[in-house]
């Protein structure tokens, strides 16, 4: 059960605090929407207890509206303004575009540094790379773990790029947090609710991938698990879904971008690498995502894709990354984004 308490424009901070205090007194959660002229308090908790509260009668309250969607805090109803996330100076959302690129997995210090330098030189905003790799086969390369994180952090420090990397297991969260700037949730963990709740308390932005068999509504509910714990900095990622088509590994659901942007205030990125699994489709799918309104692109690039331990066939060689980035960033600018 949840309600939105919409305060009068002239409501004082004391009046807002009073409403929040009364809500918390009955054991419900009070979530204040960020920014905006009018303050909105999202009230989430037990239906009986909430309906007993005389919210409308409290000083400063304009009106009280029920939120009927299964997700609340991530909805546009709760917050009209786009969420803007600042990752050590790299901004995403609300008109700010971020190009996030790097290898599928961290292999050697030289490999990750070469990738980071190419990303930086091309005007990229953050670097990606996996140290914990949830592979479909248990016999495939599973990542370098903490050694990989350290290699990535060194490349990040040298280039000034913030680091996006996946957390697979809540038990690894502390170690990943020591190195990462953004915590990625992979497509196989979109509905790992225990992991999501932990990430909600981790104090770092989260990049949440849509699972290949997850509906948009389920993705938004997964994001709600994170935001509900107090972490509002969630980036959603469309990375392809399972369809009957066999020409591509997954089908990039381009329409998910505008659908999510209508339903939610959170930033959305597309992943053109994992969606198709094909190098020749990386540029067209990136452009399609940007044209559809994506706030960023998450893409794989490797100095030597032929020798990559993971996802080589879909990785852009760093030698052509500059050309690729120019096309993507040009289109992002053309759609009115700041890059
Ligand atoms: C990745 O980003 O390297 C990855 C494993 O992607 P996904 O979870 O989308 O398959
Ligand atoms: Mn990959």
């Amino acid at each position: 059960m949840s309600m939105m308490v919409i305060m009068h424009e002239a409501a004082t901070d004391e009046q807002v605090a009073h409403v929040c205090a009364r809500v918390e007194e009955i054991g419900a959660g009070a979530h204040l929407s960020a920014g905006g002229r009018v303050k909105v308090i999202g009230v989430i908790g037990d239906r009986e207890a909430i309906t007993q509260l005389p919210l409308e009668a409290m000083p400063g309250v304009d009106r009280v509206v029920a939120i009927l969607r299964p997700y609340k805090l991530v909805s546009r109803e709760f917050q009209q303004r786009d969420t803007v996330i600042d990752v050590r100076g790299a901004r995403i959302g609300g008109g700010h575009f971020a190009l996030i690129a790097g290898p599928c997995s961290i292999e050697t210090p030289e490999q990750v540094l070469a990738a980071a330098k190419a990303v930086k030189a091309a005007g990229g905003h953050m670097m990606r790379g996996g140290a914990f790799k949830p592979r479909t086969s248990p016999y495939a390369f599973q990542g370098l773990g903490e050694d990989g994180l350290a290699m990535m952090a060194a490349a990040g420090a040298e280039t000034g790029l913030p680091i996006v990397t996946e957390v697979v297991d809540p038990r690894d969260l502390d170690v990943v947090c020591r190195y990462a700037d953004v915590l990625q949730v992979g497509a196989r963990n979109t509905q790992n609710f225990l992991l999501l709740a932990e990430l909600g308390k981790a104090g770092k932005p989260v990049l949440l991938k849509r699972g290949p068999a997850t509906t948009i509504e389920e993705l938004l509910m997964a994001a709600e698990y994170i935001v509900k714990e107090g972490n509002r900095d969630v980036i959603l990622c469309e990375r392809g879904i399972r369809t009957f088509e066999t020409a591509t590994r997954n089908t990039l659901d381009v329409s998910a971008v505008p659908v999510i942007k209508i339903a939610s205030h959170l930033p959305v990125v597309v992943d053109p690498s994992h969606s198709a699994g094909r190098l020749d489709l990386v540029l067209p799918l990136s452009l399609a995502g940007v044209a559809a309104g994506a706030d960023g692109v998450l893409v794989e690039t490797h100095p030597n894709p032929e020798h990559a331990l993971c996802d080589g066939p879909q990785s852009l060689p760093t030698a052509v990354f500059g050309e690729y980035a120019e096309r993507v960033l040009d289109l992002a600018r053309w759609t009115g984004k700041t890059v």
Side-chain angles (χ1 to χ4, degrees):
M1 168 69 171
S2 87
M3 298 285 194
M4 278 195 305
V5 180
I6 299 154
M7 303 298 289
H8 283 297
E9 247 182 77
T12 63
D13 290 347
E14 287 72 29
Q15 289 170 335
V16 171
H18 175 72
V19 174
C20 292
R22 290 297 309 274
V23 166
E24 280 158 4
E25 239 172 65
I26 60 155
H31 304 263
L32 190 59
S33 74
R37 229 165 2 99
V38 177
K39 292 221 163 59
V40 178
I41 303 164
V43 179
I44 298 185
D46 176 64
R47 164 187 268 274
E48 289 307 312
I50 293 174
T51 42
Q52 292 298 313
L53 262 188
L55 290 165
E56 256 125 350
M58 293 183 192
V61 172
D62 180 11
R63 58 192 197 281
V64 179
V65 185
I67 307 182
L68 301 172
R69 296 186 197 282
Y71 49 88
K72 323 282 180 192
L73 303 173
V74 304
S75 72
R76 275 271 179 217
E77 288 169 302
F78 175 62
Q79 183 185 307
Q80 297 212 317
R81 189 185 60 82
D82 283 338
T83 284
V84 181
I85 301 174
D86 190 307
V87 186
R88 292 204 293 112
R91 276 187 286 180
I92 182 164
H96 300 276
F97 185 87
L99 176 59
I100 308 166
C104 180
S105 58
I106 306 303
E107 297 163 5
T108 65
E110 296 73 28
Q111 170 246 16
V112 65
L113 183 60
K117 283 183 170 166
V119 172
K120 181 71 184 180
H125 305 86
M126 300 183 220
M127 63 182 290
R128 61 143 291 149
F132 294 94
K133 298 301 303 175
R135 304 298 298 281
T136 303
S137 163
Y139 304 113
F141 175 60
Q142 305 283 314
L144 295 182
E146 186 167 2
D147 290 346
L149 292 172
M151 292 173 198
M152 200 177 180
E158 186 158 342
T159 54
L161 291 172
I163 289 171
V164 182
T165 196
E166 180 166 352
V167 190
V168 177
D169 185 328
R171 289 171 294 188
D172 300 327
L173 192 52
D174 286 344
V175 62
V176 177
C177 280
R178 283 204 283 279
Y179 301 93
D181 298 298
V182 176
L183 307 168
Q184 178 172 322
V185 178
R188 288 152 198 82
N189 268 323
T190 309
Q191 291 185 301
N192 182 340
F193 300 124
L194 296 177
L195 175 64
L196 300 178
E198 288 303 313
L199 293 173
K201 298 175 215 149
K204 301 233 178 193
V206 174
L207 188 148
L208 173 64
K209 286 199 166 192
R210 177 184 183 186
T214 312
T215 65
I216 293 170
E217 190 172 271
E218 286 164 344
L219 173 66
L220 292 170
M221 286 193 277
E224 186 88 10
Y225 266 92
I226 302 170
V227 178
K228 180 174 170 289
E229 298 301 325
N231 187 352
R232 293 169 175 223
D233 291 343
V234 179
I235 302 162
L236 302 172
C237 177
E238 162 58 39
R239 53 73 77 201
I241 54 175
R242 229 167 228 210
T243 68
F244 54 81
E245 183 52 68
T246 55
T248 46
R249 187 158 75 187
N250 290 285
T251 299
L252 182 72
D253 181 8
V254 177
S255 52
V257 175
V259 168
I260 291 170
K261 294 204 70 80
I262 291 164
S264 173
H265 51 83
L266 296 175
V268 186
V269 302
V270 294
D271 174 343
S273 305
H274 294 90
S275 41
R278 281 174 52 171
L279 179 60
D280 55 348
L281 298 187
V282 169
L283 178 62
L285 294 184
S286 303
L287 297 176
V290 176
D295 301 290
V297 169
L298 175 80
V299 61
E300 288 183 341
T301 183
H302 192 289
N304 189 355
E306 225 179 276
H307 289 98
L309 294 178
C310 178
D311 284 346
Q314 71 197 27
S315 293
L316 287 163
T318 48
V320 301
F321 188 75
E323 257 173 80
Y324 161 85
E326 198 178 318
R327 299 284 302 276
V328 172
L329 296 175
D330 270 352
L331 183 62
R333 269 185 222 102
W334 190 80
T335 64
K337 299 269 194 315
T338 307
V339 302

